[in-house]
Each structure stands twice: as C-alpha cells, then as structure tokens.
C-alpha cells in the first residue's frame, strides 16, 4: 500500500505517523502471502480488484477489522465476502462524533473534499454539511 502513495507528500506524511508509532504497517508471512496471491488469482478476472486491494481485504477479514476504502470494486467485493466496509464519510462522522474536529470544520473540509472527489455521494455529503453547519 505504501508503494501506491505517489502524490507529492503522501508517503512522507504517512511515514511520519509510522515513525511516531501512531501507525503500524502490517506485514505478511509467506503463508499469508500465498493466500493473498491465491485470492487475487481467483478474483482478478471477476472483480478486477488489485493485488494491493486483496492484501488489505485479506488483512481486514483475517483480523475482523472494518475496511476503510473509497474503491467501489473493493467495497463491493469485500462487503459481499462479509467484511464490514466504510468510506470517507464514516471517517468524518467519527471525527465529529468523538470531538476530534468541530462540526463546522468538518463541513468546511467536506466541501473542499467534494471539489477534488466528485464521486462522493452528493446527497449524503449535502446532508452532513447542512447538519454540521447548523451545529
């Protein structure tokens, strides 16, 4: 996954969290890697899910963790496989709910995100912005 961080500054920003021990990068042993390769081989033609996507799907499923993704193919495939899946709006909701960011700040940042990500569900985004700006 780290190799897919190609936008300027992304890799360094994530690496800071790793260096500060606020984020751990999972690794796989040979048995797990074989299982991921097998998973990818079986699904590649049906779902067009990448090897990297299979690795995070495998990890979430094996640890019983929710999977955070904005990728529609991965979301659909993992959800169909019984994995709990959430996207960026779930993250915004949690940040506001736990008081990590203020509601009006979340609304402002969600407006910014909407400009760079037109695939976000418009009605859900608008509902949150309206709610958070009213708080």
């Amino acid at each position: 996954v780290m190799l897919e961080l190609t936008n300027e500054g992304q890799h360094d920003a994530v690496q800071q969290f790793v260096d500060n021990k606020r984020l751990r990068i999972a690794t796989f042993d040979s048995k797990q890697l074989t299982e991921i390769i097998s998973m990818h081989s079986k699904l590649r033609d049906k779902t067009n899910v990448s090897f990297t996507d299979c690795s995070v799907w495998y990890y979430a499923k094996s640890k019983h963790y929710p999977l955070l993704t904005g990728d529609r193919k991965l979301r659909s495939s993992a959800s169909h496989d019984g994995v709990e899946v959430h996207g960026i709006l779930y993250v915004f909701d949690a940040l506001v709910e736990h008081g990590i960011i203020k509601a009006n700040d979340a609304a402002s940042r969600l407006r910014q995100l909407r400009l760079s990500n037109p695939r976000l569900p418009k009605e859900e985004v608008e509902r949150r912005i309206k709610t958070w700006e009213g708080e």
Side-chain angles (χ1 to χ4, degrees):
V1 172
M2 289 292 284
L3 295 175
E4 289 192 358
L5 300 177
T6 57
N7 290 346
E8 186 176 332
Q10 280 183 330
H11 189 276
D12 292 341
V14 172
Q15 190 60 49
Q16 277 188 312
F17 284 98
V18 173
D19 293 344
N20 292 329
K21 300 195 182 335
R22 299 192 75 199
L23 178 68
R24 186 178 64 84
I25 304 294
T27 58
F28 301 106
D29 62 29
S30 60
K31 181 179 182 265
Q32 293 168 319
L33 198 52
T34 300
E35 290 177 28
I36 296 167
I37 292 168
S38 175
M39 178 183 189
H40 181 246
S41 296
K42 290 176 189 171
L43 297 168
R44 150 178 69 209
D45 294 332
K46 295 178 195 171
T47 64
N48 199 25
V49 175
S50 73
F51 179 80
T52 302
D53 289 344
C54 283
S55 73
V56 295
W57 173 3
Y58 173 88
Y59 188 77
K61 184 174 181 170
S62 67
K63 298 289 186 180
H64 305 287
Y65 291 159
L67 176 60
L68 296 172
T69 183
D71 184 290
R72 186 180 315 152
K73 292 178 286 189
L74 177 56
R75 173 187 287 271
S76 176
S77 298
S79 181
H80 183 72
D81 191 33
V83 175
E84 179 183 349
V85 182
H86 299 286
I88 190 69
L89 296 180
Y90 171 85
V91 175
F92 270 90
D93 291 343
L95 291 171
V96 171
E97 180 182 333
H98 294 286
I100 296 168
I101 60 174
K102 294 179 181 175
N104 62 339
D105 290 337
S108 174
R109 291 181 188 264
L110 194 51
R111 282 186 186 282
Q112 292 172 340
L113 181 61
R114 182 179 57 189
L115 295 174
S116 64
N117 187 348
R119 291 182 279 177
L120 291 173
K122 290 178 178 52
E123 296 81 22
E124 288 294 316
V125 168
E126 286 304 319
R127 183 178 61 77
R128 282 169 175 81
I129 289 172
K130 187 176 180 180
T131 299
W132 292 336
E133 286 180 338
E135 289 184 11

